[in-house]
Amino acid sequence: MGLADLHIHTIYSYDGTASVPAVLRRAKEIGLDVIAITDHDEIAGSLKALELAPQYGVQVIPGIEITTAEGDLLAFNITQVVERDLPLIDTILKVGELGGFCIAPHPMAGGLGMKSLSAYSILRVLRNAKAAQILIGIETYNATTIDKMSNHYAHILGSRLDLAKTASSDAHIIDTIGLGVTEFEGYTAQDLVKALKTGDVGQRKQKEWNSAYILGSWATHYIGSAFTRLANAA
Ligand SMILES: [Zn+2]
């Protein structure tokens, strides 16, 4: 059984704190087979991971978390940024034109300025024949969401939809990588994509992290990484 964490942020995200090599090292250390770096409206970290992956023995699917007019959207298997703030269906169709596919992250979750897709938005996509082919998954377990009820709602919504149900960490700090993991038959990125397309994936959930701890840890790491960025920019 392969293990994948498809929702990880790095310093290429405005809110991430981990470097790409650190993420790859950690993924290998905890036994993940496939990961995706999905920075907010930024793909450079993901492409860097794709390039470095063979050195770390982990497979990488290129990804991005796109800000759409209706909330966040994960897109995979694309290697360029898709314009932000567009209507959801337009965004999904663009991802499709680029040969990619999408997963709805932390549906219905709110808090801390986070904007998530509503059940209504997701259902509207699924009624659009073209867009429905591209939106193939829903993240029904997000290990680090601040909105504690959202996993429960996402699970209920997901159970009624013909979509792959994924579990992810949405890690913004190194320590939370792998707290939510999608299981699949096989172990390669190709096996994972195949399993997502047929919906044949399982979930491995670690205990949700305490929000206060995540925020504290994030703040500590963020201040550190801000210094690193300043040093690198100098
Ligand atoms: Zn995210």
Side-chain angles (χ1 to χ4, degrees):
M1 195 63 90
L3 302 176
D5 187 347
L6 289 172
H7 192 165
I8 300 172
H9 294 272
T10 69
I11 47 173
Y12 289 86
S13 262
Y14 66 88
D15 56 355
T17 58
S19 72
V20 170
V23 168
L24 291 167
R25 205 173 306 122
R26 177 72 175 164
K28 180 67 184 173
E29 214 174 79
I30 61 173
L32 298 179
D33 300 290
V34 182
I35 62 157
I37 286 173
T38 51
D39 290 322
H40 295 284
D41 304 299
E42 174 58 74
I43 204 154
S46 195
L47 298 181
K48 177 135 196 137
L50 196 60
E51 182 195 315
L52 296 179
Q55 296 173 34
Y56 290 85
V58 179
Q59 296 207 16
V60 168
I61 294 184
I64 183 168
E65 186 163 19
I66 306 169
T67 306
T68 78
E70 287 156 74
D72 291 343
L73 175 74
L74 291 173
F76 301 94
N77 262 357
I78 61 171
T79 51
Q80 66 184 75
V81 171
V82 171
E83 197 184 330
R84 56 172 294 170
D85 299 318
L86 295 178
L88 177 63
I89 290 184
D90 293 0
T91 311
I92 290 176
L93 294 178
K94 268 187 198 267
V95 171
E97 276 166 28
L98 295 169
F101 62 89
C102 297
I103 292 176
H106 46 72
M108 298 171 281
L112 274 186
M114 177 191 234
K115 203 174 170 210
S116 305
L117 298 177
S118 65
Y120 174 77
S121 288
I122 293 169
L123 293 174
R124 205 159 38 79
V125 171
L126 298 179
R127 280 197 296 268
N128 178 306
K130 240 174 146 183
Q133 300 231 321
I134 302 155
L135 181 72
I136 62 170
I138 179 168
E139 186 185 80
T140 56
Y141 183 75
N142 179 303
T144 56
T145 179
I146 302 294
D147 181 350
K148 289 301 172 204
M149 284 310 285
S150 64
N151 281 327
H152 180 64
Y153 296 139
H155 173 76
I156 294 171
L157 177 65
S159 67
R160 282 147 206 236
L161 301 176
D162 188 20
L163 291 171
K165 281 86 175 165
T166 65
S168 311
S169 67
D170 200 357
H172 287 75
I173 55 174
I174 265 302
D175 315 83
T176 54
I177 293 171
L179 289 188
V181 163
T182 301
E183 297 179 329
F184 61 99
E185 200 68 56
Y187 60 91
T188 66
Q190 213 180 352
D191 295 332
L192 170 62
V193 173
K194 195 172 139 208
L196 287 169
K197 288 187 173 166
T198 56
D200 204 9
V201 292
Q203 301 188 331
R204 187 174 293 188
K205 305 170 189 176
Q206 309 283 350
K207 193 167 161 286
E208 280 182 41
W209 269 33
N210 175 291
S211 306
Y213 186 81
I214 292 176
L215 281 174
S217 186
W218 177 83
T220 313
H221 285 258
Y222 194 75
I223 291 162
S225 78
F227 277 118
T228 311
R229 260 180 277 193
L230 277 176
N232 288 343

